[in-house]
Amino acid sequence: MSQMNRRRALQLLAALGTTGFATACGSDNVDQPTAPKSPIKIGLIAPKAGGFKTIGDDITNGFQLFLDLHNQQLGGHPVELLTADEGETAKTGKAAVDQLLKQNVLALTGVVNSAVMVGIRDTVEDARVPLVGSNASPSSLQSVVYIWRTSYVLDEAGRALGLYLRDQLPANGRIAIIVPENVGSPDVVRGFKQGFGVTDPRIADPVTNTNPTTNPGKTTYVADIQKALRKNPTAVFCFFAGAAGVEFIKQLRDQFSGPVYAPGFLTEGTVLESLDRDALGIQTALNYSADLNNTSNRVFASAYRKKHQTTPTTYAMASYDAAQVLDQAIQLTGGTPSPQQVNLALGKIGQIDSPRGIWQFNQPRTPQQKWYLREVQRDGQVMSNVLTNELATLG
């Protein structure tokens, strides 16, 4: 071999390096597929009947959609998604958690009812299995290690609206506050008053607490609405969701035609369809709108509409994000994750590129995120929550 040819051969070998040399020599170890990771079980807790069933369906659909778009895997591990019926009480919720823990789930998700979330707190913490809750998030849930939430803290929706209405309501206006007597209502009302101004005379009337049922009748709220309207309020602030939201607004509209403000759950999903024109003009604060123009939302909303022939809700979005953060956390743990390793990894996740916009976990393990103002408007033959303003970043 000439000196020039030898020099050229050495240059080629140097450029290839060890890996390139092995490739050139036909090594059997190159381009071999990586070994599949071990299967994992995730437990999803959601109501399968009753007034919150539609929300339970949404969070189930949101989590499953993420799996559909990611080859039924989280962190590279094939996923078996196990579901358990949350029911409507802390007792039934605890039974659901116990059922899933017996099946050795790596993590838990879901939970619609705030009373259930409070009731299962100690069970989850004692089991040391992370729960990435995708809806219920009472502010009373403090000092938790294994419970994370991808939704919101209930007082934030009230605070966002309070900050907005403080400047929008006329000086001589008055707001009547009507809420069900349940675990979440005090959070919402406290947040609203903090945002609006606790001593502001425009919200000085006593709060009207009404029946907390999730399956109300045609006259359940009539007497309490009449009581709240005796002071001739300019507007009504309320906090309802699901079937209760439908009946409350129908009964309210029989007596009051003025402005109505609420956390966005009042007009989410099937509630809006059921209310039809009774929902027109209702303004709500929420952490999500299906109209948000970002890449993540375009992918999520398009896929959701294609699969379910309906617009995604905040419940579905938060559950989709629960799957997303579990995907990232499990990926960080490496080979064979344990619940404790996943929980530790959840604390290492930075910003999440979500359909709602960029957010991240704060110290209490809840999202720091933007809140939006929406108004129900007619979109052709249907009602739609139209995004009208950005309210605040809270959390």
Side-chain angles (χ1 to χ4, degrees):
M1 181 183 293
S2 69
Q3 184 176 0
M4 180 62 70
N5 287 339
R6 285 197 300 271
R7 184 181 298 119
R8 180 60 179 156
L10 290 172
Q11 288 172 340
L12 286 170
L13 288 173
L16 286 168
T18 305
T19 303
F21 184 75
T23 303
C25 294
S27 168
D28 291 335
N29 294 323
V30 176
D31 294 329
Q32 293 296 318
T34 57
K37 294 183 178 180
S38 57
I40 58 174
K41 296 178 181 179
I42 302 295
L44 189 148
I45 305 157
K48 297 184 179 182
F52 287 153
K53 179 184 182 298
T54 55
I55 300 176
D57 291 343
D58 283 355
I59 66 174
T60 302
N61 292 342
F63 199 95
Q64 184 59 59
L65 183 64
F66 185 91
L67 295 178
D68 293 345
L69 296 178
H70 293 83
N71 200 30
Q72 306 301 318
Q73 295 183 355
L74 293 178
H77 293 260
V79 172
E80 181 181 0
L81 185 62
L82 307 174
T83 62
D85 187 2
E86 175 181 330
E88 295 187 323
T89 67
K91 183 177 180 180
T92 57
K94 184 180 184 305
V97 173
D98 289 339
Q99 173 188 333
L100 293 169
L101 291 175
K102 288 177 182 177
Q103 298 180 75
N104 297 315
V105 293
L106 180 65
L108 298 162
T109 189
V111 187
V112 169
N113 193 327
S114 290
V116 170
M117 181 63 87
V118 172
I120 66 175
R121 177 193 187 279
D122 291 346
T123 301
V124 173
E125 292 288 300
D126 291 344
R128 300 176 66 211
V129 172
L131 164 60
V132 183
S134 53
N135 189 62
S137 187
S139 62
S140 59
L141 199 69
Q142 300 289 335
S143 302
V144 289
V145 176
Y146 283 86
I147 299 178
W148 308 73
R149 287 150 283 173
T150 58
S151 50
Y152 45 75
V153 178
L154 275 176
D155 65 338
E156 293 170 357
R159 193 181 315 143
L161 266 178
L163 290 167
Y164 171 74
L165 287 176
R166 178 183 62 194
D167 300 325
Q168 298 296 316
L169 195 72
N172 61 348
R174 296 186 75 84
I175 294 181
I177 302 174
I178 310 173
V179 297
E181 195 168 8
N182 60 22
V183 172
S185 291
D187 288 344
V188 174
V189 172
R190 183 180 64 256
F192 180 73
K193 288 185 172 182
Q194 287 173 346
F196 197 97
V198 175
T199 61
D200 195 306
R202 293 174 294 176
I203 57 171
D205 292 339
V207 174
T208 301
N209 292 294
T210 192
N211 196 316
T213 180
T214 59
N215 291 288
K218 301 298 182 182
T219 60
T220 298
Y221 306 115
V222 170
D224 291 320
I225 290 172
Q226 291 174 344
K227 176 183 175 182
L229 295 181
R230 285 172 191 158
K231 297 288 185 69
N232 297 315
T234 310
V236 167
F237 174 82
C238 60
F239 168 57
F240 292 88
V246 174
E247 280 303 326
F248 174 78
I249 291 299
K250 286 183 176 181
Q251 292 168 41
L252 177 68
R253 284 308 190 203
D254 286 340
Q255 305 180 57
F256 180 76
S257 60
V260 176
Y261 302 93
F265 330 118
L266 178 65
T267 59
E268 275 294 271
T270 57
V271 176
L272 190 56
E273 299 168 13
S274 300
L275 284 173
D276 195 40
R277 72 175 113 185
D278 283 337
L280 272 175
I282 292 177
Q283 290 187 286
T284 62
L286 202 60
N287 60 346
Y288 175 68
S289 167
D291 296 332
L292 286 171
N293 187 21
N294 61 65
T295 301
S296 294
N297 191 47
R298 287 194 293 271
V299 171
F300 166 68
S302 175
Y304 196 92
R305 288 187 177 107
K306 182 177 180 180
K307 183 174 181 180
H308 298 289
Q309 289 77 54
T310 190
T311 298
T313 62
T314 188
Y315 314 120
M317 177 279 298
S319 193
Y320 181 89
D321 272 3
Q324 182 173 193
V325 299
L326 281 170
D327 177 61
Q328 294 183 28
I330 293 168
Q331 185 70 47
L332 287 173
T333 65
T336 306
S338 69
Q340 294 76 34
Q341 289 172 332
V342 173
N343 195 69
L344 186 64
L346 284 166
K348 298 178 181 178
I349 294 174
Q351 293 186 329
I352 293 94
D353 186 6
S354 164
R356 77 188 83 177
I358 300 294
W359 67 273
Q360 63 186 20
F361 282 121
N362 56 21
Q363 191 64 34
R365 290 162 158 70
T366 62
Q368 183 181 51
Q369 62 189 327
K370 290 181 180 179
W371 285 83
Y372 306 95
L373 182 70
R374 312 175 314 164
E375 181 177 329
V376 178
Q377 300 177 10
R378 189 179 294 281
D379 182 8
Q381 297 301 311
V382 300
M383 299 298 162
S384 179
N385 287 299
V386 177
L387 193 154
T388 61
N389 201 359
E390 183 178 309
L391 293 174
T393 296
L394 301 174

